Amino acid sequence: MSAALPVRDPIRVSWERSHASQVDVDRPAPKYFDRIDRETTLMRAARPVIDALSSELTNEPVCIILTDAKGVVLDRRGGDPSLLRRLDSVDLAPGFRYAESEVGTNGIGTALEVGGPILIHGPEHYNDKLRMFSCAGAPITHPVTGGLLGVLDITTQARNSNSILLSFAKLAARRIHERVVEEANALDHALLSDYYAACRHSGGPVLALGDEVFMMNAYAQARFDAVDQAALIDRTRDARGGTKPLVILTDLPSGTTARLAYRPTFLGDTLAGGVIQIKEQRPPARSQQPARAPLVPGTTGSSAVWQHVTQEMLDACRRSEWLIADGEPGAGKLSLLRAVRRHVSPDRRLAVLDPAVTGDDLPAEARAELESGSDLIIRRANLLTGEVLYGLTDVLQSVRDGAIAGDAWVALTLPADRSEIADQLLAFFPRTVEVPPLRHHLEDIPALVRSLLAKAGVSGLTFSTTTMNQLMRLPWAGNITHLRAALTAVAKRRRSGVVELADLPPECRATTRRQLTPIEALERDAIVDALSMYDGDKQAAAAALGMSRATIYRKIRDYGIVT
């Protein structure tokens, strides 16, 4: 980089970020992503704008480039053959990511970093190969959230550089933004129309949810108290974004069992959101508190949801009713089955078999366990196929016929999506109990934390109120297993005293509810670690990471990082 030439401050800072990111100064090396979603809000809004502009620029030495919020090129239009060949030579093409951290100073990545429009003249590029171009990038933001959707970039050869490029890019970005507004208004109108129709026809509680919209009618607000409302809102996350009708049964803290019937709303082929009608399956008794399940050693949880599922299993076990426990991985299906069965039948041996471990020997092992007088749990029954499935079916039929162990109790565990399971196997199990994910009984987390630490032999740790509240705000995608892993990470760093926010793993200091990509998760963790290192000083953390202050503030908000 030539130090003799005067450099604008934004460019100098961008070079410093590029240097800190160890960008190759000789050749750009953008990463390639082979999957591009063509039906995003940004793509739908940008397509007609880019169509119109590119039709006017055919064979002109100017190229229109659209990227997403990560700098991945989504579309490239216009440009004469010579310019397109040059762009291909540096991989400035659909699928490649032109983030500043990968290719250095450029109109796309630098616009994303500074959070505003910028023109990069040829010599201002950090990478030598990019100095043959001049490019102007203008960010496109969401009209409701203000979040970045992407960048509209205008690129030409350096000898054609002109300040009009930036005006052109800003004008195109503004047109796309306006179309995003129009679509958002149209989608919201479609959702609102379905919501009002449902309110008129149902006469009961109704919810509506879109990307940026959540509505609850007056009947729902009057019928459910604040705690039940919070549980309902949390349960709707399982329906959000769904394109097919869905029915969800959920137990609310009050003891009511609610039936949530979700129906999606479309505007043409575009999902606008969905409307949920709620019916109460079993209203709570008004004169007394809901009955509580007895304390079962080996289980932890006093919430109404957890008490209800425990009671269901107790009832089935006391009747020696064979059952299926389904639920998300890590929700505690096997632990709950074991604890409840041992509580009901403490003198009987309980065997657990897993198709992934026993393989073809599972039917023979199941028969041997049952003949020896054991009860039986088969984990991950969705993995049973072929001869193993037929062999197990024969064993279970022998139990039913009284040929072997006629008094045996058998249970299966299945994942929450109830993966394919043969009808002939399902016929043996008249009862299915859904074990709720941890996010549906977050009030049990304090007790779970104490229990999991005790089981791990950690006795000297307590959690501050702020830290515990943070744990109770997290989605816990891996459920109780996920919580156990987080506590193990805490215990590796601290074995006594009070656990504060800074002691939690990075993922536990962010509250984003969407599923992060591996790259996003690494970025989130790096930001959390930098903030911890500099005692929450965002400017110092941004400098250490090679980010602008605007970028780190945006990412803190996007990832829900607690500072």
Side-chain angles (χ1 to χ4, degrees):
M1 201 66 59
S2 175
L5 296 174
V7 179
R8 292 184 289 153
D9 283 345
I11 303 303
R12 177 184 54 77
V13 174
S14 175
W15 285 356
E16 291 173 354
R17 289 195 300 266
S18 302
H19 177 73
S21 298
Q22 299 182 330
V23 173
D24 190 335
V25 298
D26 297 320
R27 181 171 180 79
K31 292 180 181 176
Y32 180 73
F33 298 83
D34 58 359
R35 293 184 180 179
I36 297 177
D37 188 353
R38 301 286 180 183
E39 289 306 318
T40 62
T41 298
L42 176 62
M43 288 290 281
R44 289 193 299 270
R47 195 173 292 125
V49 175
I50 295 177
D51 286 344
L53 293 176
S54 61
S55 66
E56 301 174 8
L57 298 174
T58 304
N59 292 322
E60 293 293 331
V62 176
C63 195
I64 305 166
I65 297 169
L66 180 72
T67 81
D68 66 13
K70 300 294 183 182
V72 177
V73 178
L74 303 175
D75 200 357
R76 189 185 75 179
R77 305 281 196 89
D80 60 27
S82 174
L83 176 59
L84 293 177
R85 284 194 298 272
R86 289 173 181 266
L87 292 175
D88 287 340
S89 72
V90 294
D91 294 328
L92 186 43
F96 288 96
R97 184 169 65 190
Y98 253 66
E100 191 183 76
S101 60
E102 293 180 24
V103 299
T105 306
N106 72 93
I108 296 166
T110 304
L112 288 172
E113 285 293 330
V114 302
I118 193 167
L119 173 62
I120 308 295
H121 297 289
E124 293 179 328
H125 285 88
Y126 184 81
N127 186 282
D128 286 340
K129 292 288 186 181
L130 298 183
R131 293 182 180 179
M132 69 178 87
F133 306 106
S134 285
C135 48
I140 304 163
T141 58
H142 194 283
V144 178
T145 66
L148 277 171
L149 295 176
V151 169
L152 192 287
D153 175 86
I154 307 295
T155 293
T156 187
Q157 294 189 48
R159 65 173 181 267
N160 300 322
S161 183
N162 191 304
S163 59
I164 295 176
L165 285 177
L166 186 57
S167 299
F168 191 18
K170 289 193 290 186
L171 175 62
R174 186 161 59 249
R175 288 182 181 175
I176 295 171
H177 177 85
E178 290 168 354
R179 288 192 61 84
V180 173
V181 173
E182 291 172 5
E183 180 179 274
N185 289 339
L187 292 173
D188 288 349
H189 179 76
L191 179 59
L192 193 62
S193 177
D194 279 5
Y195 169 69
Y196 283 143
C199 290
R200 288 194 303 271
H201 296 151
S202 76
V206 178
L207 310 178
L209 56 153
D211 283 344
E212 306 298 336
V213 173
F214 183 90
M215 292 179 285
M216 177 183 292
N217 69 351
Y219 193 100
Q221 295 177 52
R223 178 63 193 84
F224 300 107
D225 62 22
V227 177
D228 275 3
Q229 286 181 31
L232 286 169
I233 292 170
D234 187 81
R235 198 67 171 98
T236 62
R237 294 192 182 98
D238 294 339
R240 188 180 295 275
T243 58
K244 296 180 180 179
L246 176 69
V247 174
I248 301 169
L249 289 177
T250 187
D251 295 309
L252 302 178
S254 66
T256 298
T257 297
R259 180 181 183 273
L260 282 62
Y262 167 83
R263 184 169 295 277
T265 292
F266 289 92
L267 180 65
D269 294 329
T270 303
L271 181 69
V275 173
I276 295 177
Q277 297 186 42
I278 305 171
K279 292 187 181 298
E280 296 173 62
Q281 301 291 92
R282 189 187 66 249
R286 298 299 181 184
S287 59
Q288 60 184 11
Q289 293 293 323
R292 298 178 64 84
L295 179 64
V296 177
T299 66
T300 303
S302 58
S303 66
V305 170
W306 192 256
Q307 288 285 308
H308 178 69
V309 73
T310 302
Q311 188 63 59
E312 279 195 282
M313 283 196 180
L314 282 168
D315 292 343
C317 283
R318 285 167 178 156
R319 293 192 300 268
S320 293
E321 188 175 61
W322 292 10
L323 62 85
I324 294 172
D326 75 355
E328 296 178 6
K333 301 182 292 295
L334 180 59
S335 296
L336 189 54
L337 280 172
R338 277 174 160 162
V340 168
R341 188 56 184 172
R342 285 172 178 164
H343 180 72
V344 173
S345 303
D347 297 329
R348 290 183 67 93
R349 183 174 181 276
L350 182 61
V352 179
L353 298 180
D354 187 335
V357 176
T358 57
D360 294 344
D361 296 332
L362 189 141
E365 292 194 22
R367 180 179 291 273
E369 292 289 357
L370 292 167
E371 287 179 339
S372 70
S374 297
D375 290 332
L376 181 64
I377 297 174
I378 298 175
R379 298 185 65 193
R380 296 184 282 190
N382 55 298
L383 300 180
L384 294 166
T385 58
E387 294 299 322
V388 175
L389 173 62
Y390 294 130
L392 178 63
T393 302
D394 288 341
V395 172
L396 297 181
Q397 187 61 54
S398 296
V399 177
R400 283 296 190 219
D401 292 341
I404 60 169
D407 62 342
W409 177 82
V410 183
L412 309 179
T413 73
L414 285 175
D417 59 5
R418 300 192 184 187
S419 300
E420 289 299 321
I421 180 171
D423 290 340
Q424 66 265 33
L425 185 58
L426 193 62
F428 289 103
F429 299 89
R431 184 77 170 268
T432 297
V433 176
E434 180 184 356
V435 178
L438 182 53
R439 63 182 178 276
H440 292 168
H441 57 112
L442 292 171
E443 60 267 45
D444 288 331
I445 281 184
L448 281 167
V449 167
R450 292 190 295 271
S451 174
L452 292 171
L453 287 176
K455 289 178 181 178
V458 179
S459 58
L461 281 180
T462 58
F463 284 67
S464 70
T465 301
T466 301
T467 307
M468 190 62 75
N469 287 341
Q470 173 65 7
L471 294 180
M472 294 174 69
R473 283 197 293 265
L474 298 174
W476 297 112
N479 297 298
I480 297 173
T481 300
H482 193 174
L483 176 61
R484 181 187 293 111
L487 296 176
T488 299
V490 170
K492 285 181 179 178
R493 300 176 60 182
R494 174 186 285 275
R495 279 161 291 282
S496 63
V498 179
V499 177
E500 300 292 352
L501 275 176
D503 298 314
L504 295 178
E507 65 165 321
C508 294
R509 283 176 272 169
T511 56
T512 180
R513 292 284 179 173
R514 66 183 177 86
Q515 184 68 39
L516 300 182
T517 66
I519 292 175
E520 289 174 328
L522 289 172
E523 183 178 59
R524 174 205 61 199
D525 292 354
I527 293 172
V528 169
D529 286 340
L531 288 168
S532 295
M533 184 180 299
Y534 293 99
D535 296 323
D537 187 328
K538 298 179 181 63
Q539 185 168 358
L545 294 169
M547 293 179 178
S548 68
R549 287 181 61 190
T551 298
I552 199 169
Y553 273 96
R554 171 170 57 83
K555 291 184 183 294
I556 287 171
R557 182 181 67 248
D558 290 347
Y559 292 140
I561 296 172
V562 179
T563 58

